[in-house]
Each structure stands twice: as C-alpha cells, then as structure tokens.
Amino acid sequence: MTALEQLIEALRRLPGVGQKSAQRMAYHLLQHDRPGADALAHALQQATHSVRHCERCYTFSESPLCPICQDSRRDARLLCVVETPADQAAMERTASYHGYYFVLQGRISPLDGVGTREIGVEPLLARAADGQVEEVILATSFTAEGEATAHVLAEALRVRGLRSTRLARGVPVGSELEYVDLGTIAHALVDRRAT
Amino acid sequence: MTALEQLIEALRRLPGVGQKSAQRMAYHLLQHDRPGADALAHALQQATHSVRHCERCYTFSESPLCPICQDSRRDARLLCVVETPADQAAMERTASYHGYYFVLQGRISPLDGVGTREIGVEPLLARAADGQVEEVILATSFTAEGEATAHVLAEALRVRGLRSTRLARGVPVGSELEYVDLGTIAHALVDRRAT
Ligand SMILES: [Zn+2]
Ligand SMILES: [Zn+2]
C-alpha cells in the first residue's frame, strides 16, 4: 500500500466516513491543507497521550479528577448516569443540571456481547453508595438498548436501597441523547420520573 | 484549549466535517479506537512526508515520476487534462483510457483569484508541446468553472497548433467528475468531441 492508500484506510476508520469521503479528505489534505494534516496528526498524538478517564465519573479528563468532580459546589445528592462523554457534554450544555455524573462505557447490548460488566455497573453502584447520593438520574438513551440499560440499573439500585429516576419521555423515542436539542433535554430533566 | 478540544478543532478542518461530526469522531477515537487514532496520526505523518507531486503530470506520487508516467506502454499521443488527482483516479478506474495525464491545480475561478497561472497552464502547454502529443483531452468538470477552464485551455492549445477534445456531454451537467459513475465517464470518453 502507498502512503496515500494508507491514509485513506486510516481515515475510513472514523465513524461516518466511507471510501469516497476518506479519499476526498486525503486528497484535500495533501493538495490544499498540509498544515491541517500536520495539526491533526499532532492533535491525535496529544489527545491519545493526555486524555484519560476521570477516576470518579469516567468521563474524559486530562487530570485524575475531571473539572466537574473537582467542583465542590455541585449538588452531591444527585448523580446523573449517561452512556458516553458526548451525552454528558450535551447534558452540561443545557445548564439545567447541577449534580455530578457517572459515565458508563456505553449501554447493554447482548447481541454485541456487551453486558453489565462491560459498561461498568459495579463501579456505578459503588459510586452511588457513597452515602451522599440520594437520587440517581438514569439518562441513558431512549432506544431499546438504552431503556434496557436503565431498567437493569434501576433494579440494581433498588436492591441496594437507592432511588433512581429517568429523564421524562420528552426526549423523542428512538433518538440518541447527544443529538437531541438542548431545550428538550432541559424539559425532560425537570419532568424526570421515578423508575 | 484542552487536548480534546484541540482534536475536535483539527478534525473540523476536514472537508464535510462539522462541529457535531468532529466531536463524534474525537469521542469515538478516544473511547473506542485509540489504535485507530495512532494509525491515523502515523498515516498523516507518512503521507505529508512522502507524498509529493509527479514531476511530469503533477499527480500525487511518492517517486519523482508517478507509475503512469513511468509506464512506456501507454499511448504518448494522448494527454488527458484533469482538475485533481481524484479526477485522474476516477478516469483510471474506467479502464478505458490508455494515454498519459496532466493534473491541473484545480480550475480557473476568477472570484477566488484562481487564474491560468495558479492552475498551471504554462507547465501544461510545455508538456503538450513535447512533439509526441497529438490530442489533448480536456476532462475538466462540467461546471461553469470547469467549462471556462476547458475553453481557455482549448484556445491556448489551438494558438500553439495543438488539437484538443472535450469529454462528451454524457457527463451530467453540473457534476464533479470525481462523483460520476464509471460507465458514464467511459461512454463520454468514447464520444469525446473536438473543441
Ligand atoms: Zn469526573
Ligand atoms: Zn506522472
């Protein structure tokens, strides 16, 4: 494989990028934006080197504790559970939530061999049992897998005497939280219901 | 800016990638495909380091002369002029052309300050006057700018006593060559007309 073919191959691994777009990106970088190619290579190395996971909430963080977990002014009685750092970022942008977070490693998906162990249910249960958390807000996606994940989590929490709620169904069914408009998320947060 | 934000910024420079997709790509790489991030960084560095332009036809090449220009079995009487290496690759995939190529640096676009000098008309005229070329096939895009470029090239070639043809109008008007299906390009090549 030539260096050009290898670049196209590597770009194809990006989500949402097919053969045509990968080729177009590679040609664009080499023909019109070599500084952009250098910047991207550098940013990738920087990010894979310095971006780790927060030791408490598992979101992306460049320090052992992320800025939110370090912020003692947040409401320690609330713990919001999301599937991904992207979902957490969407929640933060609504500016209507002031508790802490727990970021799962995705959602339960039996067909892909992803179960409670893989998404990190044990660390979540340990985190929720810190004695300060009074309500766990289950903000997993409103897809079949996200609902199943919320159901499993609610049960596990209930067994341990922990109360959980779910975002209101204001979130359009079948959609991923990350792509929902902020107003809808904010509204669903206010209307959260007991599970 | 954090390393994550810098990565999102760098991904946004790719053609067709907006804020949302850049964020999605960055999160995907960091959460699920760090080897993919490393591979992409490496491929970018390799490509910007080793991919140069062919000294004769100006397409991407890792050697001074590209494999096509090095191939003495091709028909030296034919020279096909395209706007980009991507267009040349599309032409090659039709397997219906056996001459040589000349890759312009884009197409004439007065509004963007891109004229005959910027796209490399002089090197093309020098290449076409090698004494072997009998027909220059103008395969620029069938857009207003591509047509204008073909017109300017046809005139410049005519003045120097060189014959030029244009791909037949089988190519859908308003489309970029790179995205045309191969059968249409092959057909348009057979039907090429004098300019
Ligand atoms: Zn944290
Ligand atoms: Zn060449």
Side-chain angles (χ1 to χ4, degrees), chain B residues 164-193:
Chain B
S164 70
T165 54
R166 183 98 171 97
L167 289 190
R169 282 194 176 275
V171 176
V173 171
S175 57
E176 316 240 14
L177 205 62
E178 180 182 354
Y179 300 104
V180 174
D181 71 277
L182 306 186
T184 303
I185 297 183
H187 203 263
L189 190 63
V190 172
D191 288 351
R192 64 185 185 269
R193 60 193 163 78

Side-chain angles (χ1 to χ4, degrees), chain A residues 54 57 59 66 69:
Chain A
C54 171
C57 76
T59 196
C66 74
C69 286

